[in-house]
Amino acid sequence: MDAIAITPALLRDWPLPMPTPDGDKEVRGHLLIVGGSREMPGAILLAATAALRAGAGKLTVATAASVAQQVAVAMPEAKVIALEETAHGGYQSEAKDRLAPLAGKVSAVLAGPGMSDDAASCELMRNLLPMFANSHIIIDACAMNVVCNPGNFRFAQPVLITPHAGEMAHLTRQSKEAILADPQGAAIDAAQRWNAVVALKGALTMIATPDGRCWSHEGGNVGLAISGSGDTLAGMITGLAARGAPLEQACAWGIALHALAGEQLALRFGILGYLAREIPAEIPALLRNLAA
């Protein structure tokens, strides 16, 4: 099946859910972002900012206890939950109990940005997946290692997973060269194997669903290949999912918005040198223009 190209025309014909004029923040969606560590507290700030710029209404952040207070000050829009840490900078097993009260109350969950300690992160994901089965779930960065469990891993319900080629090679135990040689095939195979919507990121990004549907996107510029850019993209997608967009739609829109933001920033700063933290501010105007 040929991939559907993600273009402004496609997006205009695939409009995002919009709140009613009198809708409150609950109508715009409540999202939970789980991530950050004492070495990478900024990742969760980038993701959270992007999620709110994408239009989500309510935000809860769960992050490492050692940085929770700083994150709360830097992100005054969020409720911040402190998670006790392991010796390797991950979250202790009790983290699931701290997050359990949110089950059934959040529209979307993003897990992974800035996480440390692969073993602890995988244990947490195995607990969170059934707990938040009724929420849109987006898995990024360290949390994606949950699919590396022995045996043929499959999600009980479709989630969105967002690897770049190097991460996909690690997750599937293939070479990066093999992934890059056939990104569409790699994305479709992983989507069907894991029962997930898979966004294989790169200069050419492929989105595949478990039923074999596929979208492609080319655009943006090399300036987007910068620290924190992936965290920003993951937050953007999660904000759109919190508003009620299906995972594949939130992903297609998020990838397009991310690329267009890079193009706008390149006009002002040049192709190299703009920062991931500057991407979210471009989103509201781009959303307005694409909806026109």
Side-chain angles (χ1 to χ4, degrees), residues 12-237:
R12 291 189 181 98
D13 290 337
W14 197 10
L16 292 166
M18 290 295 292
T20 59
D22 59 348
D24 61 15
K25 62 185 178 182
E26 298 289 348
V27 172
R28 288 170 53 184
H30 180 184
L31 71 140
L32 167 66
I33 303 180
V34 185
S37 60
R38 56 179 171 260
E39 292 186 348
M40 293 182 287
I44 202 166
L45 295 174
L46 293 170
T49 303
L52 292 180
R53 291 290 192 181
K58 190 173 180 180
L59 171 65
T60 299
V61 167
T63 193
S66 61
V67 297
Q69 185 173 7
Q70 295 96 309
V71 169
V73 172
M75 198 76 210
E77 297 86 354
K79 175 182 178 180
V80 177
I81 298 172
L83 305 177
E84 295 301 323
E85 296 155 86
T86 67
H88 299 291
Y91 310 135
Q92 294 184 12
S93 58
E94 291 79 8
K96 64 182 184 299
D97 302 318
R98 297 279 287 140
L99 299 175
L102 290 169
K105 298 179 181 179
V106 294
S107 311
V109 179
L110 168 60
M115 276 188 180
S116 296
D117 190 341
D118 286 358
S121 297
C122 289
E123 179 186 355
L124 178 61
M125 287 309 306
R126 288 191 288 271
N127 287 307
L128 294 189
L129 287 166
M131 188 184 299
F132 292 98
N134 294 322
S135 304
H136 290 308
I137 299 177
I138 293 86
I139 305 176
D140 189 44
C142 183
M144 294 190 294
N145 285 308
V146 69
V147 304
C148 295
N149 282 347
N152 295 318
F153 181 89
R154 284 180 64 81
F155 293 102
Q157 71 282 340
V159 304
L160 172 64
I161 187 166
T162 59
H164 54 62
E167 290 167 330
M168 180 69 94
H170 165 70
L171 297 175
T172 60
R173 297 178 173 84
Q174 299 181 63
S175 69
K176 183 177 178 180
E177 291 72 22
I179 300 296
L180 292 173
D182 183 16
Q184 181 173 346
I188 291 173
D189 180 68
Q192 294 174 340
R193 184 192 316 173
W194 297 331
N195 189 34
V197 179
V198 174
L200 179 52
K201 302 180 296 189
L204 169 65
T205 293
M206 305 299 304
I207 305 170
T209 62
D211 60 8
R213 290 175 293 153
C214 197
W215 293 263
S216 65
H217 182 273
E218 291 185 85
N221 54 61
V222 70
L224 288 168
I226 190 172
S227 292
S229 184
D231 304 315
T232 301
L233 173 59
M236 201 181 306
I237 293 170

Side-chain angles (χ1 to χ4, degrees), residues 255-268:
I255 286 166
L257 289 167
H258 187 251
L260 289 168
E263 292 175 4
Q264 291 298 307
L265 289 167
L267 292 174
R268 296 207 301 276

